[in-house]
Amino acid sequence: MTDDKMKRRLTTVLCADVYGYSRLMEADETGTLETLRRYRTAIARLVERHDGRIVNTWGDAVIAEFASVVEAVQCAVEIQQEISSSDSDAPQASPMRFRIGINLGDVMVDGTDIYGDGVNIASRLQELADPGGVVISSSVYDQVHNKLSVGFDCLGQRPMKNIAPLTSYRLTLGGQAAGSASFPGEETATPTAQARAPRMEDRREPSSSSNVVSNWLGKLPRPVAAALTVSAFLILINLFTGAHKIWFHWPVAAILFGVALRTVLGHRPESDSKGER
């Protein structure tokens, strides 16, 4: 009996697309096709090196899948590096740049083709990438963020056509977003994008001593933090209004005593606090 049920599997989908392909074709049709053919050969070689396979090549796009999420991201990085290196070796007025999106998701399998949201999301992520850049979904980020020597910018939840908003991340290489370098005849919005989405590592670093103090107070219980803040305020008032007469110790002592008493009473065993009924 034939099983007509559509097969499904979890896989990592890489979608690469040429940025400004129509403009390139209009400027130089023959040269653009030759360059596209050369880069597709390089992409296929790198995909095979990372144990992936080319699923389809629609127009100027390349769809590939990988069993390993890490290998897929590493392959994307090497693709962009090789293409960038080729552009540097033979500068062009309008270099061909690829944008790459990567997603880990469930797909439907039909022979050698794959379909479904897992593929569609990778395609939409590719549209969010800068020319020469790579954007990954949160499902990919969860698997690779501590396994590869690259950085990540969180782009937040961006609207995508026919796809529910999801959190995405842009790869950064050497402190710079992949594909952020400018080329002749191109403008890049990377500085603006970086202003909107500062690097995750930078957001974790305190910018001044005041941030250190606020972070330390934030870790304390709220009553204790409030008492210390008020006490410091009273000490400053005393120092600036007449240091020759010290009076802050009395209100500060009362405040600290009240906080200590509240803390002790709040941590009494439940049996003691309830008493006998």
Side-chain angles (χ1 to χ4, degrees), residues 115-127:
Y115 304 94
D117 281 346
V119 180
N120 296 336
I121 291 174
S123 177
R124 297 295 179 238
L125 291 171
Q126 167 269 132
E127 296 172 358

Side-chain angles (χ1 to χ4, degrees), residues 18-33:
V18 177
Y19 174 74
Y21 181 70
S22 298
R23 173 177 52 82
L24 294 174
M25 287 290 287
E26 183 177 351
D28 182 6
E29 189 174 85
T30 302
T32 297
L33 289 175

Side-chain angles (χ1 to χ4, degrees), residues 65-81:
E65 71 164 335
F66 299 79
S68 166
V69 188
V70 174
E71 292 291 344
V73 176
Q74 187 64 51
C75 179
V77 171
E78 292 182 14
I79 288 172
Q80 298 294 31
Q81 289 176 338

Side-chain angles (χ1 to χ4, degrees), residues 220-237:
L220 296 174
R222 184 173 297 178
V224 176
L228 292 176
T229 303
V230 173
S231 298
F233 185 65
L234 291 173
I235 292 172
L236 290 175
I237 291 177

